[in-house]
Amino acid sequence: MNWKEILSHEFLYYEFLGNTVASYLLSAGILLFGFIFKTVLSRLLSGIMYRLVKRFFHEDNLPEFRRLLLQPLEVLLFLVFLYLAFQVLDYPLDQSEIKKGDPFLKTFMFRTYQVFVIVALTWVVLRLTDFIGLIFKYRTEKTVSKLDDQLVPFFKDFAKVLIVIFAFLAMLGTVFGVNVAGLVAGLGVGGLAIAFAAKESLENLLASFTIFLDQPFVVGDLVQVGEVVGVVEKIGFRSTRIRTLEKSFVSLPNKHMIDKPLDNLTLRTFRRAKFDINLTYDTTSAQIRAITRDIQDFIDQHPRTNQDGRVRFLNLGPHSKDVMVLYFVDTMDWNEFIDIKEEINYKIVEIVERHGAVFAFPTQTLYLEHPAPAGKPSLVLQQEPYPAPATDLE
C-alpha cells in the first residue's frame, strides 16, 4: 500500500463533528441523488398511484391526477432522501434520541424536519382530496339535480379543514410533545370563549346547512340578495360566491343569504314587461279602441307570451291619453327577452301608425294675456309642468 492509498484511507476515516469524512460523502451522495431524481421518482410514484385510483374509481380519463400530486410528492421524496442521508450520520433521527440538555440548534433542526414531514404528508392528502372532489364533480355534471353540484365542493372544503386540524394536532403531539387528549379535554373549559370568538363562523356554517336543507337556491340560479344580482357559482361552508351581471365576483356570508330577503329569479316562470303608450289628445275614442284591440290580439297570439297580457286605456295624463301595455314573456334568458320585447314594440308602433294616431311627448304651453282696460287683469301666466316619465318594469 503506497502513501496515496494510506492518505486516502486515513482521510476517509478522519472524524469531524462526530462523523467520518466517508459518512459525510455518502450522505452528500444520497442528497445529490435525491435532488436529481426526485422528479423522475415522483412521476413514477404518481403513475403507480394513478393506476390504483383509476381501478378504484373506474374512471377512464384522469388528467389532473399527476398534475396535482407531482409537486407535493417531489417535496415528500426529497424529505425521505434527507432522512436517509442523515441515517448514515451520527445525528438523532428518532423522537427518543432527543434528550434534555442537547444543543438548541440540534433540537431545532430535528423539530423542523419533523414539521416539514408532517406538512408534506398533509399536502399530499389535501391534493388527493382535491382530486377525489374533481372526480365527483365530473359525475355530478352528468346528473339532472343541482343539489349534488353544491354538496361536492362543500364537503370537499369541509374535509380539507378536518385534515388540516388533524395534522395540526398530530404536529403538536409528535413534534412538541403536547398531550393532545388533555388539550382537547381542556377545550371544554375554554369552549365558551372560543364559541364567542368564532360566533360569526359558526353562524355561517349553520346557515350553510340551512341552505342545503331548505334549498332556497342551488348552484346556477340567478338570485337577488339586497342590491346584489347574479348567478350562484359556489356555496361554501362560510360564504356563497355570486357572479354578478357586471361579471364581477361577490362573496356573501351564508348568514346574509338566509337573513335578508332573497329573490330567486330563476324560479320565475315568465319575465314581465310593463309600460305606457302615450297618445295625443286629438286621438279619438274609436282609434284608441282599435289600437288597444289590435295590440291585445297580437300579444295573445304571440307564441312566446301567455294569456295574462293586458292592454287597457288606463289614464288621462296631463299631456296624453295613456294606454297601459302589460305582458309576460315565456323565457328566462335576458337576450331572448329583449329580442321578443323589441319585436312587440315594432308591432305596437306599426299598429299606432296604421290607425292614424300620434305618440305624445312632454310639452310646455305658455298663455300670455296682454294689458286690458282698467278693472281687468293685466297679465296671466300659466305653465303646464312636465309630466313624470312612464316607467318600464321587468
Side-chain angles (χ1 to χ4, degrees), residues 76-291:
L76 184 60
L77 286 173
F78 182 75
L79 290 174
V80 171
F81 280 105
L82 184 64
Y83 175 84
L84 296 176
F86 274 88
Q87 279 279 44
V88 299
L89 299 177
D90 184 14
Y91 194 87
L93 292 172
D94 189 86
Q95 180 73 21
S96 60
E97 297 182 30
I98 295 293
K99 303 175 183 178
K100 292 183 179 180
D102 283 343
F104 171 78
L105 182 61
K106 183 179 181 180
T107 306
F108 175 77
M109 291 180 64
F110 180 71
R111 303 296 188 197
T112 303
Y113 173 79
Q114 289 181 308
V115 169
F116 275 109
V117 170
I118 294 176
V119 170
L121 288 173
T122 306
W123 193 4
V124 173
V125 176
L126 289 177
R127 286 297 179 88
L128 285 173
T129 306
D130 287 332
F131 178 71
I132 295 174
L134 282 175
I135 293 178
F136 284 104
K137 179 183 177 182
Y138 293 150
R139 293 181 178 180
T140 56
E141 289 175 351
K142 301 177 183 179
T143 61
V144 179
S145 175
K146 292 184 179 181
L147 179 61
D148 50 5
D149 295 336
Q150 63 190 37
L151 286 176
V152 168
F154 174 82
F155 282 107
K156 183 189 74 171
D157 294 342
F158 189 73
K160 291 172 72 173
V161 170
L162 293 180
I163 292 170
V164 172
I165 294 175
F166 179 79
F168 178 73
L169 293 176
M171 185 185 301
L172 291 179
T174 304
V175 179
F176 302 101
V178 177
N179 186 359
V180 177
L183 178 64
V184 174
L187 289 178
V189 179
L192 185 61
I194 295 176
F196 278 113
K199 179 175 179 294
E200 293 292 332
S201 299
L202 291 175
E203 288 179 348
N204 290 322
L205 180 61
L206 294 176
S208 64
F209 285 108
T210 302
I211 292 173
F212 290 135
L213 294 175
D214 196 32
Q215 296 186 34
F217 58 88
V218 295
V219 173
D221 283 356
L222 178 65
V223 299
Q224 178 176 359
V225 185
E227 297 181 355
V228 178
V229 181
V231 178
V232 178
E233 290 195 354
K234 180 182 178 181
I235 303 174
F237 58 88
R238 194 201 70 84
S239 62
T240 298
R241 298 179 182 178
I242 297 177
R243 180 74 65 181
T244 65
L245 300 180
E246 293 79 15
K247 303 305 179 183
S248 60
F249 208 46
V250 178
S251 295
L252 294 177
N254 289 333
K255 179 177 179 294
H256 293 175
M257 299 296 294
I258 62 175
D259 286 348
K260 292 185 177 180
L262 185 142
D263 186 6
N264 193 330
L265 304 178
T266 302
L267 298 181
R268 295 188 306 181
T269 55
F270 293 88
R271 282 186 177 272
R272 187 184 74 159
K274 182 180 181 296
F275 55 91
D276 292 337
I277 300 175
N278 305 125
L279 304 175
T280 58
Y281 261 96
D282 58 1
T283 307
T284 64
S285 59
Q287 288 175 310
I288 295 178
R289 286 193 181 94
I291 290 171

Side-chain angles (χ1 to χ4, degrees), residues 11-75:
F11 175 76
L12 291 177
Y13 285 94
Y14 176 74
E15 288 193 4
F16 177 71
L17 297 178
N19 294 279
T20 63
V21 174
S23 299
Y24 285 118
L25 291 177
L26 180 59
S27 177
I30 295 174
L31 283 177
L32 182 61
F33 178 84
F35 182 77
I36 294 175
F37 293 99
K38 61 182 176 63
T39 302
V40 177
L41 293 176
S42 63
R43 291 182 183 275
L44 178 63
L45 184 58
S46 62
I48 297 174
M49 297 177 66
Y50 174 84
R51 287 190 287 270
L52 293 176
V53 172
K54 183 178 179 180
R55 180 178 299 179
F56 180 77
F57 287 100
H58 306 288
E59 294 285 342
D60 295 330
N61 187 17
L62 305 175
E64 289 87 357
F65 184 80
R66 298 188 180 186
R67 178 182 60 83
L68 288 174
L69 285 182
L70 188 60
Q71 190 173 5
L73 281 178
E74 287 182 0
V75 176

